[in-house]
Amino acid sequence: MTLPATLSSVSPTTPRNILALVCILLSLAMLYPGLTQPMMNLTIEATLPLLGKMEFYNKTQSIMESITSLLESGNRLVAILILLFSVVVPILKAIFLLLALALPIAGVRYYLHQIVLLIGKWSMADVFVVGVFMAYLAGSAHPSAHATLHDGFYYFTAYCVFSILGGQLLKVVD
């Protein structure tokens, strides 16, 4: 990362930066329900002779509930990775974006923005994983397995989109 030759301060009140701020604030508003609202329901059922249709598994969880469940079941590494990429990185990204917008020192703003651009590629990781899992189940992976998306998925996706837009719109140097 090299500093641009003409590193001058860009006003946080330019129309582009105001739009970036709106996107960042909208992303934060979407993040909380994206983490706490149910994201997906997984149901496994089968029709058995004489017994009829039986449900063997039915679970609806949010991202935060999934982290807790994984910790309780001893899957610490997976829980930590989900916590890192779904909670810690999004919060750090929002803080860095807001600081890059508000700080008066152009060099610091530039480096914060560069960090956001580096970590920004992980923003859609969770959405991608859930999408792949849904595609797997929709592709008749097993006729007794069914998955449905819930509001948490859409909130988290909206967080990702607004967060990426905010980072891309933010102008910190001329």
Side-chain angles (χ1 to χ4, degrees):
M1 271 189 284
T2 59
L3 223 55
T6 59
L7 186 62
S8 63
S9 184
V10 173
S11 170
T13 59
T14 63
R16 184 172 168 161
N17 281 350
I18 291 171
L19 188 56
L21 177 62
V22 169
C23 287
I24 295 164
L25 295 176
L26 280 172
S27 76
L28 285 171
M30 299 293 122
L31 182 60
Y32 181 76
L35 295 173
T36 59
Q37 294 294 309
M39 183 175 241
M40 184 173 67
N41 172 266
L42 179 60
T43 305
I44 300 174
E45 56 189 25
T47 304
L48 301 174
L50 300 175
L51 297 174
K53 193 176 218 176
M54 291 193 65
E55 188 174 271
F56 296 107
Y57 183 84
N58 186 349
K59 190 120 185 183
T60 303
Q61 286 188 322
S62 67
I63 292 174
M64 296 306 291
E65 290 169 335
S66 296
I67 293 168
T68 302
S69 294
L70 287 165
L71 284 172
E72 289 171 353
S73 67
N75 293 306
R76 294 188 197 289
L77 178 61
V78 178
I80 290 168
L81 289 172
I82 293 172
L83 178 68
L84 178 66
F85 290 111
S86 299
V87 181
V88 175
V89 168
I91 291 171
L92 283 176
K93 182 178 176 184
I95 290 169
F96 289 166
L97 281 170
L98 290 171
L99 286 173
L101 188 60
L103 289 176
I105 305 164
V108 174
R109 290 164 45 114
Y110 174 79
Y111 280 119
L112 286 171
H113 190 246
Q114 292 303 305
I115 291 169
V116 166
L117 294 176
L118 284 173
I119 65 174
K121 63 184 85 172
W122 298 104
S123 293
M124 292 294 286
D126 292 334
V127 173
F128 178 74
V129 168
V130 171
V132 168
F133 185 67
M134 290 294 293
Y136 174 73
L137 291 174
S140 299
H142 197 282
S144 62
H146 306 283
T148 53
L149 295 175
H150 288 274
D151 290 346
F153 175 81
Y154 298 107
Y155 279 115
F156 196 82
T157 302
Y159 151 75
C160 292
V161 170
F162 283 119
S163 177
I164 290 168
L165 277 172
Q168 294 297 314
L169 288 171
L170 186 66
K171 185 170 177 149
V172 293
V173 294
D174 280 329

